[in-house]
Amino acid sequence: MNILFPKNFLWGAATASYQIEGAFKSDGKGESIWDRFTHTEGKIKNNENGDIAVDHYNRYKEDVKLMSDIKMSAYRFSLAWTRILPEGKGTINQKGIDFYSQLIDELLENNIKPLITLYHWDLPQKIQDNGGWSNRDTSNMFAEYASIVAKNYGDRVNLISTFNEPAVFTIHGLVDGYMAPGYADLDHFSAAVHHVNLAHGLGLKAMRSINNNLELGCVLNLSPCIPCSDDPADIKGTKLYDMYWNRIFLDPMYKGLYPNNFYKNVERYLKDADLNIISQKNDYIGLNHYQHTRVKSDPDYLLKARGAYGNEKPFNMENVELTLMNWEIVPEAYYNQIMELKNKYDNPVIYLTENGCAYPDIIENGKINDFKRIEFYKKYLSAVKKSIDDGADVRGYMTWTLMDNFEWALGFEKRFGLIHVDFETLKRTPKESYYFYENLIKNNGF
Ligand code: IFM
């Protein structure tokens, strides 16, 4: 063994409410945009949905035990806003509050630190009906929801993230329509970007006013962008892509400004104090990272909605190693991304809130020998260690994901879990990577 991590490094797994909970209308839960979107014919591969997902709502004790068996020290999960506030605002649903309260207690009893994400894409449908993120009121409703969470769980949970991957849910939800709510409207998109940033700032403020000991931040999915050739068009396209994917959230939150080229799109939505509210201190950055993005300028790429990318699309080179998502395996990009945060964003505390890979894991003789996933983890974790050695303040690593689950528009086909789930019987079977993770935790390295 030669890769050792710092003492007290957190080792955990991440999940998201809609992808695992199921129980989509149990115990007073309201409808979310993902309930509506998945129930719309043709939106999801094989018309699958998260109505049952992997039934974590009813099986959370079994799932916590699986984490505890390998001594995970952290678990990152998101709350379904509609369990707590079925209509997004107003009356609180006590059964929803109780569910997460019991989950938190179960984690703490098993020495697992809970990390909450407030919003992993499942906006209450009632709020969407009122304009969703393109309506400024939604930012205030989010702050109200955040304060309810701080009041109810802040005594037991101190790490809370406002959003998961705002670039993903705004671009795919409002520009190309690939995800809920499924629109393609650039004005809505620009407004939504600003209101999500504002909601982040208002959410921090609201939670801090209730409990000053909370550690608060946002989870961003950042990806170094590289041109796929020396062609000036590709180089220009790469800058644009980087702006949309990485900077329009990172810069307002961590530097208090919008990139110049985007400012004109949001100027009309900005009020005086907004950028100060958005850029108040974050206690950490949550980094989700999977791969780098190669950008090729493609004038034939005519989908109007892709205008937000400046008609650029990610481009995979040939002869590179890909996972089942067609994502490139590039551990150096992970190192570079972490170091960019260290060097250009003031050496922040970093939690690695998601990283992982999908493969078509098959049970053979009762076992799932997912050695490619183990190799992936070894490579990516070596990159993390190198960044720590080079001064990055990385405090923990959450694998995506604990168990196979609903992968959004792709349905159930892409398996990312350490634990295999039979989607018919819902039986959980640990993969070989689960045992690799067990040893990793035991040795604090590999
Ligand atoms: O499943 C998603 C997760 O919800 C957000 N980050 C990326 C994962 C894999 O696509």
Side-chain angles (χ1 to χ4, degrees):
M1 186 170 44
N2 51 17
I3 307 267
L4 268 184
F5 284 80
K7 213 171 156 233
N8 298 327
F9 195 76
L10 288 181
W11 291 110
T15 64
S17 48
Y18 188 77
Q19 294 180 272
I20 62 165
E21 284 179 4
F24 78 114
K25 44 183 179 181
S26 301
D27 294 336
K29 179 183 166 293
E31 187 189 24
S32 80
I33 55 172
W34 273 93
D35 294 318
R36 178 71 62 91
F37 191 68
T38 55
H39 293 156
T40 309
E41 179 80 22
K43 297 293 184 194
I44 309 292
K45 188 151 192 202
N46 303 322
N47 285 316
E48 288 167 340
N49 60 53
D51 290 2
I52 300 175
V54 297
D55 196 31
H56 173 75
Y57 188 75
N58 295 305
R59 296 168 196 245
Y60 73 91
K61 288 195 177 171
E62 179 185 348
D63 295 335
V64 172
K65 179 163 185 318
L66 282 161
M67 289 186 253
S68 151
D69 284 348
I70 58 169
K71 304 224 163 5
M72 276 191 192
S73 48
Y75 174 50
R76 169 178 177 248
F77 59 99
S78 77
L79 312 183
W81 186 340
T82 50
R83 276 198 203 287
I84 292 175
L85 291 159
E87 310 221 323
K89 61 175 184 174
T91 312
I92 295 176
N93 177 33
Q94 191 55 43
K95 289 195 171 159
I97 296 279
D98 293 346
F99 169 66
Y100 294 115
S101 204
Q102 286 153 10
L103 171 62
I104 290 165
D105 288 343
E106 190 73 16
L107 290 165
L108 292 173
E109 274 162 32
N110 285 281
N111 300 316
I112 301 170
K113 187 177 176 67
L115 276 66
I116 285 181
T117 306
L118 295 178
Y119 186 87
H120 198 125
W121 311 353
D122 40 359
L123 187 72
Q125 182 61 43
K126 280 271 183 304
I127 296 186
Q128 184 60 48
D129 294 343
N130 220 14
W133 288 111
S134 56
N135 183 343
R136 192 177 169 101
D137 292 347
T138 303
S139 310
N140 293 315
M141 290 176 205
F142 178 81
E144 179 57 27
Y145 160 54
S147 64
I148 293 169
V149 171
K151 271 183 208 144
N152 282 279
Y153 309 126
D155 56 336
R156 288 160 290 161
V157 180
N158 78 318
L159 273 165
I160 303 181
S161 303
T162 50
F163 288 95
N164 183 72
E165 301 179 357
V168 177
F169 74 82
T170 53
I171 291 175
H172 291 312
L174 299 171
V175 178
D176 58 33
Y178 167 69
M179 290 184 163
Y183 298 150
D185 182 324
L186 289 184
D187 283 340
H188 273 91
F189 167 71
S190 300
V193 167
H194 182 58
H195 297 145
V196 167
N197 281 323
L198 181 63
H200 166 76
L202 292 173
L204 295 194
K205 231 174 136 186
M207 292 190 280
R208 285 193 173 126
S209 73
I210 287 161
N211 183 338
N212 214 17
N213 293 322
L214 297 172
E215 285 178 71
L216 306 174
C218 187
V219 172
L220 301 177
N221 183 358
L222 303 173
S223 173
C225 298
I226 48 171
C228 74
S229 80
D230 293 338
D231 185 331
D234 289 340
I235 294 171
K236 187 168 162 240
T238 303
K239 287 201 180 118
L240 211 54
Y241 195 98
D242 175 58
M243 180 184 85
Y244 280 106
W245 194 260
N246 297 316
R247 312 282 158 211
I248 57 177
F249 297 98
L250 195 51
D251 286 5
M253 285 183 197
Y254 297 93
K255 293 185 171 170
L257 47 87
Y258 278 106
N260 280 343
N261 279 341
F262 189 68
Y263 184 74
K264 59 183 182 309
N265 300 355
V266 281
E267 197 178 0
R268 69 194 133 132
Y269 305 111
L270 270 171
K271 293 199 177 160
D272 284 356
D274 286 6
L275 282 167
N276 285 338
I277 295 171
I278 294 169
S279 62
Q280 69 187 272
K281 189 182 168 352
N282 283 282
D283 298 305
Y284 63 89
I285 292 189
L287 172 63
N288 289 1
H289 175 87
Y290 291 86
Q291 62 158 352
H292 64 193
T293 305
R294 291 184 195 274
V295 182
K296 178 175 175 52
S297 175
D298 182 353
D300 296 329
Y301 201 56
L302 290 178
L303 262 184
K304 178 183 170 288
R306 292 277 181 174
Y309 298 98
N311 293 334
E312 317 307 333
K313 68 174 176 178
F315 179 78
N316 277 325
M317 305 295 277
E318 284 174 16
N319 304 321
V320 291
E321 207 188 334
L322 303 174
T323 68
L324 191 62
M325 295 291 279
N326 282 334
W327 293 348
E328 273 185 65
I329 300 181
V330 204
E332 307 80 58
Y334 203 15
Y335 171 82
N336 292 340
Q337 186 58 69
I338 297 170
M339 294 309 284
E340 189 207 68
L341 291 177
K342 173 189 176 290
N343 294 328
K344 296 203 184 140
Y345 290 84
D346 211 12
N347 199 10
V349 171
I350 301 173
Y351 287 97
L352 300 169
T353 35
E354 282 184 32
N355 173 242
C357 50
Y359 285 108
D361 305 313
I362 295 163
I363 303 198
E364 282 171 315
N365 305 321
K367 272 177 76 165
I368 301 112
N369 191 1
D370 56 337
F371 68 92
K372 282 193 178 166
R373 180 171 290 105
I374 295 173
E375 284 311 304
F376 177 97
Y377 283 133
K378 285 184 178 166
K379 288 181 189 162
Y380 274 73
L381 286 167
S382 301
V384 173
K385 175 63 164 80
K386 183 163 169 342
S387 74
I388 295 173
D389 290 345
D390 290 346
D393 191 357
V394 182
R395 306 264 174 106
Y397 177 91
M398 311 291 128
T399 168
W400 185 268
T401 178
L402 179 64
M403 56 198 157
D404 298 338
N405 60 44
F406 181 77
E407 178 58 22
W408 308 109
L410 300 172
F412 288 100
E413 188 188 75
K414 312 287 182 196
R415 295 178 175 275
F416 278 88
L418 294 177
I419 297 165
H420 179 275
V421 178
D422 178 324
F423 296 121
E424 295 296 314
T425 62
L426 299 174
K427 183 173 184 313
R428 278 87 161 127
T429 307
K431 303 177 189 177
E432 285 307 296
S433 56
Y434 172 88
Y435 299 109
F436 165 77
Y437 213 65
E438 177 177 32
N439 280 321
L440 172 74
I441 296 169
K442 189 159 84 198
N443 299 318
N444 202 27
F446 61 95

